[in-house]
Amino acid sequence: MLFPYADNNPTSRTPVVNNLLIVSNIAVYLLVNFRPDAVQVILAHAIAPSRIQFADLFTYMFLHSGFLHLAGNVLFLHIYGDNVEDKLGHALYAFFYLVAGLVAAAFHLATDTMPCVGASGAIAGVMGAYVVLFPAAKVKFIFILFPPIYKKFELYSWFALGGWFAGQLLSHLGGEEAGVAWHSGLGLG
């Protein structure tokens, strides 16, 4: 298995907004996904082409279909978001994140019929911004064959994003996990 875990791009200020986004996504997951009516709550606040509600354009970004969905999004937000926030500033980063999520929602609503939840579209926008702002930065990966056999290495951010995009495309072509819109991230890649 191959996992990104960090980058080699230091920041000069605390990523307040990025940290709040990470904490908010985790808190919403814990508050919603352990309820007995979790599926109904998630579906009621997902974006769905069959019923478009303004508030859902924002709530869907903080809901996740499962732990691995949440963990992947939080990991990528942790790796890429702090640098983008450092470069854009707190307010502009918050605005950019929400706009990226809204663009992903629009793309999903225009191309799919399933309900959608997750921060993946907004994070795809953050990843794209990272590559544009820091094309020479490197992302650190670990390849785990069988514990304790592993190899650490670095890839340029643009190469890592290309690999992520290819993975999203293959996942979409192979079918969607219920409730996870793989191609909403593709619209922002």
Side-chain angles (χ1 to χ4, degrees):
M1 291 196 271
L2 182 65
F3 298 102
Y5 65 92
D7 64 1
N8 68 352
N9 197 4
T11 58
S12 60
R13 57 181 143 180
T14 303
V16 175
V17 173
N18 201 60
N19 289 344
L20 284 172
L21 289 169
I22 289 170
V23 168
S24 297
N25 276 284
I26 293 169
V28 169
Y29 178 82
L30 294 173
L31 290 171
V32 171
N33 288 59
F34 292 102
R35 295 171 50 133
D37 61 344
V39 172
Q40 292 83 6
V41 171
I42 290 169
L43 288 174
H45 299 287
I47 54 169
S50 61
R51 56 150 187 81
I52 300 172
Q53 297 179 8
F54 181 75
D56 296 344
L57 296 172
F58 298 94
T59 58
Y60 95 98
M61 288 185 248
F62 295 92
L63 298 168
H64 290 84
S65 63
F67 177 76
L68 291 178
H69 185 205
L70 170 71
N73 279 340
V74 166
L75 175 64
F76 279 80
L77 193 54
H78 168 70
I79 293 169
Y80 296 100
D82 59 341
N83 295 102
V84 176
E85 180 177 352
D86 194 42
K87 188 76 166 180
L88 297 181
H90 305 305
L92 186 55
Y93 175 69
F95 178 75
F96 177 80
Y97 182 90
L98 291 174
V99 169
L102 292 172
V103 170
F107 185 81
H108 176 79
L109 291 169
T111 61
D112 204 334
T113 58
M114 291 181 61
C116 172
V117 297
S120 303
I123 294 168
V126 171
M127 291 168 63
Y130 183 96
V131 170
V132 169
L133 295 170
F134 310 103
K138 291 187 177 179
V139 178
K140 298 177 181 186
F141 286 84
I142 187 167
F143 177 74
I144 303 172
L145 184 56
F146 293 106
I149 301 170
Y150 67 92
K151 173 78 174 154
K152 291 182 178 182
F153 60 95
E154 295 181 357
L155 296 172
Y156 284 106
S157 63
W158 56 267
F159 191 81
L161 182 63
W164 175 86
F165 183 84
Q168 295 292 299
L169 183 60
L170 290 173
S171 295
H172 174 64
L173 295 175
E176 293 185 4
E177 177 185 330
V180 179
W182 295 101
H183 60 279
S184 0
L186 294 175
L188 295 173

